Amino acid sequence: MTSKSTSDLARRIANSAPDDVVDTELKTSERVLARVTDGIYRQPGSALRELISNAYDADASRVVIQTDRPRFSSITVADDGAGMTPASLAHLLQNIGGSAKRRPEGAGLGITSGTDALRSPGGRRLIGRIGIGLFSVSQLTQRFQITTKVEGDPFRTVATIVMRQYGEAIDQNRGEDENYEAGRVKVWREPASDIESHGTTITLDGIRPQTRRTLQSDGVWSSIELAERDDEINSVPSP
């Protein structure tokens, strides 16, 4: 069930504009914040895999990952999935760790099938589970941007997010029982000429030095090259 605060945020986003930005906080629980920062996403591939999984669940047929190699100071992940409405984006921002996937409200948000909460609107069996995949990128950078659009909408929605470090969030909220300000969000809507287009683009800026060093490592790319070569060899049919 959508809360009043989420409904209010969705309305504010729907009525926003580049010169009328919605500024809000990103709230979550200590349990979820710790889950995002406990190390399971510290490898770049793990975080990117989560974004690709989200695209799959949004019925994307194509996902493109771009970087400014060899610097690797930014990464862009763009898909042609269903995109997010102001209502589904508001739910995402206010319910980290409380995904609408596999839940009754998912259909109303355009996240799940209207007849089966375990499937996407296009009929794919959902693979995302715990609702923190998008925020796994906080291990790679503290700043990222979401640009999303649904088919037939004359506007696209843009959200810029600055995540707090886990320790910062805990210190800032010390003494409180449950919710933490995990970051700040600025959201606005801007006109789109490509009305029938749809999809979501995640832009990661200011990639952390450790992640950049990992991506710049010759060993990482050599391992990938060897794995691809093995796949090619194994795919050749026996005579």
Side-chain angles (χ1 to χ4, degrees):
M1 188 177 198
T2 303
S3 69
K4 185 177 183 300
S5 62
T6 302
S7 297
D8 179 64
L9 179 59
R11 178 187 57 78
R12 291 167 58 203
I13 292 174
N15 294 328
S16 65
D19 59 353
D20 185 19
V21 174
V22 174
D23 188 345
T24 187
E25 60 188 18
L26 196 65
K27 284 281 192 178
T28 188
S29 68
E30 181 179 358
R31 176 187 60 81
V32 171
L33 195 60
R35 176 72 171 170
V36 174
T37 59
D38 67 2
I40 60 174
Y41 297 119
R42 288 186 181 174
Q43 288 300 318
S46 299
L48 295 177
R49 182 178 64 237
E50 292 295 330
L51 299 185
I52 295 170
S53 295
N54 284 347
Y56 178 87
D57 285 348
D59 291 320
S61 60
R62 187 167 182 260
V63 180
V64 177
I65 300 176
Q66 294 180 309
T67 73
D68 59 344
R69 179 185 180 190
R71 292 184 296 276
F72 292 106
S73 60
S74 67
I75 300 173
T76 300
V77 181
D79 69 61
D80 61 353
M84 289 182 280
T85 63
S88 57
L89 180 61
H91 186 279
L92 173 70
L93 296 175
Q94 294 213 329
N95 293 275
I96 303 174
S99 173
K101 296 176 183 179
R102 298 177 173 80
R103 299 174 65 88
E105 60 263 36
L109 293 170
I111 295 172
T112 63
S113 165
T115 58
D116 186 347
L118 299 179
R119 293 187 179 275
S120 72
R124 291 178 177 174
R125 183 163 289 278
L126 299 174
I127 56 178
R129 290 185 177 277
I130 55 180
I132 62 174
L134 174 61
F135 297 96
S136 66
V137 302
S138 65
Q139 285 295 300
L140 310 185
T141 178
Q142 286 183 263
R143 304 191 310 273
F144 63 98
Q145 178 173 288
I146 304 169
T147 304
T148 189
K149 183 182 177 303
V150 298
E151 185 176 5
D153 190 344
F155 292 88
R156 61 174 46 86
T157 306
V158 183
T160 61
I161 299 172
V162 179
M163 296 286 291
R164 285 181 177 271
Q165 293 280 18
Y166 176 67
E168 293 175 343
I170 296 300
D171 290 342
Q172 188 244 1
N173 292 275
R174 190 171 299 280
E176 297 182 12
D177 293 331
E178 186 175 334
N179 287 329
Y180 294 85
E181 182 182 322
R184 299 295 305 182
V185 188
K186 293 183 183 297
V187 192
W188 66 92
R189 300 256 284 165
E190 55 188 37
S193 58
D194 49 343
I195 294 179
E196 297 309 309
S197 69
H198 51 87
T200 299
T201 298
I202 311 294
T203 304
L204 315 179
D205 291 313
I207 301 297
R208 299 182 191 279
Q210 180 179 350
T211 300
R212 293 178 62 185
R213 287 192 294 271
T214 298
L215 291 171
Q216 291 167 347
S217 168
D218 289 338
V220 169
W221 298 105
S222 296
S223 297
I224 293 173
E225 185 178 352
L226 286 173
E228 290 177 343
R229 191 178 307 161
D230 289 343
D231 286 343
E232 290 176 2
I233 293 173
N234 293 332
S235 65
V236 175
S238 301

